[in-house]
Each structure stands twice: as structure tokens, then as C-alpha cells.
Amino acid sequence: MADASTALSHDVADIEGQILDSVGSFLSAPRRRPSLRGQRRWPGQPGRDECERSDWVEIAAMGWLGVLAGEADGGLGLSEAEGLRLAALMAEQIGRHVAPEPFTAVAGVSVAALAVCDRKRSADLLSRVVSGDCVAALAIEEVADGAEPSLVAEMAAGGEAGWTVSGRCTHVWPGQPVDGWIVPARVGGDRALLWIAAAAPGASCDLRVTGDGRSLATVRFERVAVAAPHLLLVGKDVAVALARAAAVGRLLISAELLGAGRAALGATIDYLKTRKQFDKPIAAFQAVQHRCVDAFIQLEIAEAALHEALCEAASGGLHGDDARFYSSRAKARCGQAALNAVRAAVQLHGAIGITDECDIGLYFKRVMTLLPRLGGISASRRACAARLLRDRAESAQAPQSAAGADGIAGGDADWDAVPEAQFRAGVRAFLRDNYPAHLRYMPRRVHWWEIADWWRVVYDKGWIAPSWPKEHGGMGLPPAKLIAFIEEFENHGVARAPDQGIVMVGPVLMRYGTAEQCQRFLPKIRSGENIWCQGYSEPGAGSDLASLRTEAVEAGEAFIVNGQKIWTTLAQDATHIFLLVRTDKTVRKQAGISFLLCDLKSPGVTIRPIRDMAGHEEFCEVFFDNVRVPRENLVGSLNQGWEIAKALLGFERIFLGSPKQSQYALGQLRKLAQASGLFGDQEFCARYTALQLDVLDLGAAYRRFVDIVKQGKPLPPSVSLLKIWATETYQAIAVLMAESAGPDGALLEPAPINGAGMDLLAPLFNSSAACIYGGSNEIQRNILAKAVLGLPD
């Protein structure tokens, strides 16, 4: 799992490194694999303890069990954020190695609850747990979501100090080995947490075997005596302890699921490269590759969601509605991704995958065992839905802020110093006061003549280039503020202007252009004097861009360009076009391409608009007949165009991977649902919530790639996953919108929704195109298969 928090101190980094080294060495030891199988249980057959006591003591000595505990209790003494981050990294390794040790249950869930308990009563127990001397299981499944405990503790007879407990707790994990249980109970009119030793008279434990060969316990108590010192906590803090334990449990289970899913996919890819069918490795078949890529995409989105949840935990704490939301969101996404990965793994292994001797079965069964704990995929989504519904209601009822934008006026503010709430309020106020009402929620791309006045307003404000660094006239927004900026523009329904210059040409010139080119072009891009379009695709060279045939021949201090470009967005509005042209036919096709900037007023340029199936003229053909382009308009070196193109495609894919299209479409779907009463339909709500989470997790993944750009690093090939997830999420929202609109979903003209017109088919038309342009999603999958997963041709 990648960086999940801010930079660590050297001391903490050293501790983390030592712990993770010990985890890797211990779990990968050769002696471990046979024992994993030997310690499994089968129904009706005796089995040993799920993990060796000697191993448990060893991992305790290495500090594993104290990752969330303070130094006074024998733990590592990390901050809550540092400890949780490290625990998640460790849990991911547990999942990768399908280790039997109940790390999450004990070092995570039990320790998290004990940390809230009365120290006078819990300190000894916590120290024993951290030292490995005591394996304590928290009976949390029945009360994780705030339900009342089923156990009742009564005052002991005869005036003795203590209580007697009767009842049972179900689905307790780990089942074995345990030395006792931390059980929620009702004591008088309050909730309480009690410690009951496994050897206590009247306590019994029935074990049931889980899919991965471990066990769950049903623990029964028949008038078990509980001494006063074993009343660990009583009162309102019990709810805090249980919420904290549940949040930690969900986050660490999410990390385990992520680890198991990644290991299963890795093992599958290795297998696919060795097995042959029809005289070639089955890893070379496109259908197989795309199945692997889809599993990979799910796991990457899951890692981003878990990363964001851990960051939320670091800043907002581990109890309350927020904790339940972000931990449930991570659990839903990691569970879905791991399930998808192990199902694909079994399928792609073929018949051997369903045998016990194949290790893939270990991952499959581990995932199936972890999925239902503390809420399965559907239950986790429902938990998120409750929070999202509340937020939606509060947002609808909240009065519009009267605050102006003066507090964040200008493009040269110290954006890091502006609180996000103030930043958002300022952006909203600016949009409310300045954006033309007739251009809100446009169902198509707008033309320059429609949006030019608004462009100049934003330019005068200093906000026209939010992602550009300040030294080039941009806002220099940090990633979180950039996302907030985009979200507020989308929420207000701001139409996308012809912005290829801002989004694509500017970043390329900053990276590959000369100082003179930056000085000549960047100011005119920002002011709107120069409007740019992209000249990439050609007939017969769309996704296979390297096959382009438009030719540029050197002629003194100029190039003479001949050829044709197609699917050029809003070329009829542009003043300039950036072109990929062939400048050397004697080398391999990728090596003979250059990058030119061309004035569309040049003699020999012809533009022909293309009408799409929605009736709009968003795309064009552009013809070049002996067009003269000055040599000073060559970006980078001669024949360096393919390198620049790949970087630009990275910028394009991160732009196409922005959550803004999906956020806008989701907002339209929400308006439709509110007007039509669809939120009373359970099936619709389930689909809507799943799409909301898809968009939220898209945002999490997007922010990670934006951060790479902001650091000045090249985008990795994995950025293609962002374009796939974004456009297919957008399309799924569009399909649900058209389907949910009833007869109005067939209208080509705006449908009357709550007194306003809504173009219900436009998102479906637009999302269908989005899955094709910028390199079709199938080609993006091919890129991921080869450049990221290393699958063969």
C-alpha cells in the first residue's frame, strides 16, 4: 500500500521499517507454507489451534501486537495516525500471505477497545495482550453498529462485589486460540465492557469452521461470576470504545482484503505466463489480459479509497458517524475489489484453480471469510447510504452563504493557508455572483462565442488556470484545493469551455517548450486570445496513434504540412492547433514523429464540422494542404513528438479521469430522483449509492495522480486506469438516468423536471463518446496489460 499519510519523522520511519521488515521475513519463511495448510480445520475433523502459540509470542516480541498501544502498555507509542497507518501496512501483508494469526482481531480490534477503557482496570490486560501472553477476543459483531448488547449482568448474590453474567455472544473472532473475551453487556441501566476468562466456570465455547479453515465462536455464559476489577468500562464511553474498535477492524480488514486480492492477481499473472494453449501463453490472449486489467483497476481504486480512509482517520478520529462512514466505504470497495480478483484468479487458473492443492483457493477462501466481518459489501454500502442521505438532506436545507469571494480574491493567494470550507464558500460566491444563469448545466460542449465573456471574467479574477504554477500565471492550487475548485464549478453547472490550451498545451510547453515559446504562447492561452484544439487522430490512426500519416517536410526555417486530422474537438472555434506529424519515415513509426504548433489561419487549412448522433457539431475534420509552419513552433527536439505525445496523453487521461463529469451527471440524477420520488425505491437507492461511492473513490484515485503532477513527476502508465474508471462510471450514471426517467428518458429535447428542462439523453451520448476519445478504453486496457502488468504480446 502506497504512502498513506504525511511524511514521517526519522524515528517513526525507522520503527516502521523495522516492523515491516520483520513482518515480511516472518510471513515469507519457508517453514510457514506447510503449517498454513496443516493448521486448517475442516468441519467434523479435529484441528490444532489456528496459529502456533510460539509464533504468537514471537510476533509479540517483534512489536506487532503493540502497534496501536502506548509505551506504558508495552506498545510502540506511535501517534494514532502513525499506528493505524503501520497497522494497515501490516494487515495488508497478513492478507498477502494468508497468515492464520488473528492480527486484526487482537492487535487491532481488541487493543482499540481496551485503549478507551478505565486504565486502572484494563492496563494489566492490555499489557498482557501486547506481550502475547493473552489472546483476547472482543465480541463485537452483534453490537458493531450501535445495537444493544444481548448479555445482561446482574449484581452478584450475597452482597459480594461483582456480577453474574448469562447469555451468549455469536460470531466471535478469533474462535481459537483465545484466553478470554471482552464482552459488551448491560449493567443496570448502562452499557459495560467486561473481561471474562475462557477458563471461568460457566463459560463455554462452540467453534464453527470458516471457509479459510479458521473458526468463529459462539460463546455461552451460564451465571458466570465477574469480579469488580473485570468491569473494564461502563457508561457512554462504551459506545465510543465499540465504534473505535469497529472502525479499526473495518480498516484493517480492508487492508487484509487488499493484500489477498493483490497476491491472488500476482500469482495468477505468473501462472498465465507459463501455461500455454494453442501454442502460445494464455497471458497473450486479449480477453484474459482485460480480465486481469479489470481486477487490477479495482484493486488500485480500492487502495486509493483505503488511503483516503486512513487519512480521514488520522484527522478526524476513530469514532462517530464519520468513522463509520469512511471505514465502511473502504470495506465496501476493498471487499468488492478482492472478491473480483479472487473470482478472476480461480477462473483464469482453470480446473486446477478449484483444487485444494492450488494456493489460489487459500486466497479465495480467505477473502470469502473476511467479507462479512463488520459488514459485507451490501451492508457497508447501506451504512454509507445513511450518511450520504443525511448529507444530501443537510445540503438541501442549508442556507446559501452570503459570504463573498473577497477572502480568496485573486490568483496569487496562499492557498495552503485558506481553510477548505472558506475556499469553497468563496468559489461558490464568485460563481453565484458572476456565472451566466443560461449557461448552467449545459447538455453539450459550448462554443467559444457562448462562453468567451465568462472566460474573461475568470481570467480577470486570476482563476483561469487553477492547476498551473503561479510563476506561469496560474493559481498553483494544491491537489485538495484543485479538487474542491473543480467540484464547486461542477456543482454549480459551469460549462466546459474550449480549454485545450489550459489543460494540455500549457503543461506541455512548461515541460518541453523553450522559454521563448512559454513567453509567446502562455499569456495568450490564459487571456483567451489563442484558443487551441488537438490534432492527433487521423482516419486509420485513432487509438493506434503511432500510425499517423500527416507529414511535415523541412523547408528551410519552416515545415510544410500535408494530411488530415479527424475528431478534432471544436476546431471550428479554435485559433491554433497542436499537431503530431511524421517527420522521418525511415525509422520505426514511434521514432519519426514531431510535435508542432500551427496557426489555423495559415493558408491551406480547411475545417469541416461533423454532426454527432445528438445533433451537435462538437468534432471536426481538419485538412492541411501545403501548410507552412515556422520551425520555431516545433516543441522539443525533432522526432521527439512521441515522447511529448505520451506525456500529453497522460495529461489528457488525468483530465478525462477527473471526477467532474461523473459528479455533474450524478447531480442531474439526484435532481431527477428527487423530482420523481425515486429515493423511496430501495433498488434505485442501492444502485445510486453504489454509483456515489464509485465517484467518491474515483476522486480518491484522481487526487493521487494529481499529486504526482504537482510534484513535477511524469505520470506512470497506470494513469490509464483513471480514464477507464471515470468514463465507465459516467456511462453507468447516464444509463441509470435514462432508465429511471421513464418515457421522458427517450426525449431528444429537454424534459420538464421540476419546472426546468433537463436533457436526459445527453449524458448517455456524451459518456459513450468519452469511452472512445483520448484512446478507447479497450486500448487503455491493452496499455495497462503490457506496460503495468507485464503481460506478453
Side-chain angles (χ1 to χ4, degrees):
M1 192 167 58
D3 172 35
S5 68
T6 54
L8 301 171
S9 70
H10 289 303
D11 288 344
V12 172
D14 287 345
I15 293 172
E16 180 179 289
Q18 292 169 14
I19 292 290
L20 292 178
D21 285 345
S22 75
V23 172
S25 298
F26 179 84
L27 295 179
S28 60
R31 68 173 180 83
R32 296 272 301 172
R33 182 60 59 179
S35 67
L36 290 180
R37 294 180 173 278
Q39 287 170 239
R40 292 180 301 167
R41 293 172 175 271
W42 295 97
Q45 296 180 4
R48 300 184 295 170
D49 284 350
E50 293 163 23
C51 72
E52 297 283 359
R53 281 284 184 163
S54 59
D55 285 348
W56 190 251
V57 172
E58 183 178 348
I59 67 174
M62 290 187 288
W64 295 21
L65 306 185
V67 66
L68 296 179
E71 285 186 280
D73 300 305
L76 300 182
L78 302 174
S79 70
E80 187 166 85
E82 293 163 346
L84 189 59
R85 176 184 186 277
L86 179 53
L89 291 167
M90 295 166 70
E92 184 183 357
Q93 290 300 314
I94 295 282
R96 282 181 180 271
H97 292 86
V98 287
E101 286 77 16
F103 171 81
T104 292
V106 180
V109 174
S110 295
V111 170
L114 287 171
V116 181
C117 291
D118 184 343
R119 280 201 52 78
K120 293 180 181 179
R121 301 182 180 220
S122 65
D124 178 66
L125 177 59
L126 181 53
S127 295
R128 290 172 57 214
V129 169
V130 170
S131 71
D133 183 54
C134 176
V135 180
L138 175 62
I140 194 173
E141 281 290 348
E142 295 178 319
V143 293
D145 296 326
E148 286 294 324
S150 60
L151 296 182
V152 177
E154 300 175 347
M155 290 294 294
E160 297 180 9
W163 294 264
T164 59
V165 177
S166 297
R168 70 172 188 168
C169 298
T170 62
H171 303 99
V172 181
W173 44 281
Q176 192 176 9
V178 292
D179 298 302
W181 304 279
I182 305 165
V183 296
R186 294 197 301 274
V187 176
D190 289 320
R191 291 181 179 183
L193 287 180
L194 309 174
W195 167 248
I196 300 177
S204 61
C205 175
D206 295 329
L207 299 178
R208 304 188 69 182
V209 180
T210 57
D212 62 351
R214 298 189 292 179
S215 61
L216 293 174
T218 297
V219 186
R220 292 183 170 83
F221 306 104
E222 294 184 12
R223 299 196 60 78
V224 174
V226 180
H230 291 165
L231 178 65
L232 303 175
L233 186 63
V234 66
K236 62 181 181 181
D237 284 342
V238 171
V240 174
L242 292 174
R244 174 186 170 86
V248 169
R250 291 188 189 101
L251 291 171
L252 298 192
I253 291 170
S254 298
E256 279 200 56
L257 286 164
L258 181 63
R262 285 203 182 283
L265 179 60
T268 300
I269 290 173
D270 290 342
Y271 174 76
L272 294 174
K273 291 176 180 177
T274 61
R275 185 178 177 219
K276 290 189 175 182
Q277 290 285 291
F278 307 105
D279 297 323
K280 61 189 299 188
I282 58 176
F285 294 113
Q286 189 178 70
V288 171
Q289 292 184 350
H290 286 193
R291 184 82 184 261
C292 291
V293 166
D294 287 340
F296 167 77
I297 291 172
Q298 289 265 4
L299 291 166
E300 290 294 298
I301 297 294
E303 182 178 330
L306 178 56
H307 167 95
E308 193 155 280
L310 291 169
C311 291
E312 290 289 338
S315 60
L318 286 166
H319 58 83
D321 287 346
D322 286 348
R324 186 181 178 193
F325 171 73
Y326 61 66
S327 61
S328 294
R329 174 184 156 196
K331 177 75 191 308
R333 177 62 61 202
C334 291
Q336 184 65 62
L339 178 61
N340 184 60
V342 295
R343 289 181 60 204
V346 171
Q347 177 70 25
L348 295 177
H349 271 76
I352 193 67
I354 63 172
T355 66
D356 182 60
E357 69 182 75
C358 181
D359 283 352
I360 284 301
L362 299 177
Y363 297 113
F364 182 89
K365 290 187 286 186
R366 175 58 58 88
V367 167
M368 298 310 298
T369 299
L370 292 174
L371 277 178
R373 290 187 180 171
L374 297 174
I377 296 170
S378 296
S380 296
R381 286 175 177 164
R382 286 195 297 271
C384 294
R387 158 68 180 271
L388 293 168
L389 181 64
R390 187 198 71 191
D391 288 352
R392 187 166 62 243
E394 290 177 353
S395 176
Q397 295 170 8
Q400 289 291 323
S401 170
D406 293 342
I408 57 168
D412 58 351
D414 181 2
W415 301 116
D416 285 316
V418 180
E420 184 169 320
Q422 179 186 343
F423 177 77
R424 286 180 178 272
V427 174
R428 285 196 296 270
F430 173 71
L431 295 173
R432 185 179 63 247
D433 294 343
N434 293 279
Y435 188 71
H438 70 281
L439 291 178
R440 294 186 70 184
Y441 302 111
M442 293 291 286
R444 55 170 174 80
R445 286 291 297 272
V446 293
H447 290 280
W448 174 246
W449 61 267
E450 297 174 284
I451 203 76
D453 290 343
W454 166 245
W455 182 288
R456 294 184 185 101
V457 170
V458 183
Y459 170 73
D460 290 341
K461 180 72 173 175
W463 289 4
I464 200 64
S467 65
W468 287 19
K470 291 183 179 181
E471 58 265 30
H472 288 297
M475 293 176 73
L477 290 181
K481 293 293 194 319
L482 180 60
I483 292 290
F485 186 87
I486 292 170
E487 287 177 348
E488 294 303 332
F489 268 59
E490 287 302 315
N491 290 341
H492 193 76
V494 176
R496 181 184 172 189
D499 56 3
Q500 299 275 28
I502 295 292
V503 175
M504 306 183 95
V505 180
V508 161
L509 289 178
M510 292 174 210
R511 182 170 172 184
Y512 294 98
T514 65
E516 185 276 330
Q517 287 173 333
C518 287
Q519 185 176 7
R520 180 156 50 104
F521 289 111
L522 295 185
K524 293 181 179 181
I525 291 173
R526 289 189 294 107
S527 68
E529 182 178 344
N530 288 353
I531 304 300
W532 290 81
C533 61
Q534 181 189 61
Y536 272 21
S537 295
E538 299 182 7
S543 296
D544 183 15
L545 190 56
S547 296
L548 63 88
R549 290 176 293 179
T550 296
E551 184 178 14
V553 177
E554 293 184 76
E557 291 302 309
F559 292 94
I560 305 301
V561 178
N562 284 278
Q564 176 188 357
K565 298 294 180 179
I566 196 169
W567 312 123
T568 307
T569 302
L570 297 178
Q572 69 269 54
D573 293 351
T575 61
H576 291 73
I577 186 170
F578 55 98
L579 289 168
L580 286 182
V581 293
R582 187 160 302 285
T583 47
D584 189 341
K585 296 180 180 180
T586 65
V587 295
R588 65 186 183 90
K589 58 185 182 180
Q590 288 89 349
I593 294 173
S594 296
F595 193 101
L596 293 180
L597 308 177
C598 176
D599 189 332
L600 286 173
K601 296 189 297 292
S602 302
V605 176
T606 303
I607 299 172
R608 185 181 76 83
I610 300 171
R611 186 179 297 274
D612 64 23
M613 62 182 174
H616 305 141
E617 293 183 345
E618 179 178 339
F619 303 107
C620 296
E621 289 181 286
V622 184
F623 300 90
F624 300 87
D625 184 9
N626 291 324
V627 176
R628 186 178 183 86
V629 177
R631 189 179 182 86
E632 65 185 10
N633 286 9
L634 172 68
V635 179
S637 304
L638 188 68
N639 298 324
Q640 193 188 8
W642 187 249
E643 177 189 338
I644 299 174
K646 288 194 296 182
L648 191 52
L649 284 170
F651 292 130
E652 182 178 32
R653 283 161 194 162
I654 197 171
F655 182 78
L656 294 175
S658 161
K660 62 182 185 177
Q661 284 183 312
S662 295
Q663 288 167 344
Y664 167 69
L666 196 65
Q668 293 294 88
L669 179 58
R670 181 175 64 250
K671 293 177 187 295
L672 172 66
Q674 289 169 336
S676 307
L678 288 170
F679 285 121
D681 183 312
Q682 287 187 347
E683 181 181 351
F684 175 85
C685 284
R687 293 174 67 183
Y688 181 84
T689 298
L691 290 170
Q692 275 186 302
L693 295 177
D694 286 347
V695 174
L696 284 173
D697 295 340
L698 166 62
Y702 178 70
R703 281 184 276 276
R704 302 186 86 184
F705 284 102
V706 167
D707 200 31
I708 294 173
V709 174
K710 300 295 282 188
Q711 293 173 36
K713 298 177 181 177
L715 284 166
S718 56
V719 72
S720 290
L721 74 89
L722 206 58
K723 194 260 183 182
I724 295 170
W725 188 269
T727 55
E728 292 180 5
T729 297
Y730 180 28
Q731 191 169 58
I733 296 169
V735 168
L736 182 57
M737 183 185 301
E739 177 186 324
S740 302
D744 284 343
L747 296 177
L748 192 58
E749 61 188 37
I753 305 294
N754 263 3
M758 182 181 294
D759 195 328
L760 296 166
L761 278 179
L764 191 55
F765 291 145
N766 295 338
S767 63
S768 298
C771 291
I772 298 170
Y773 56 62
S776 74
N777 287 7
E778 289 69 30
I779 294 299
Q780 304 307 319
R781 285 179 166 88
N782 288 349
I783 292 171
L784 290 169
K786 294 172 176 59
V788 178
L789 299 185
L791 296 171
D793 291 329

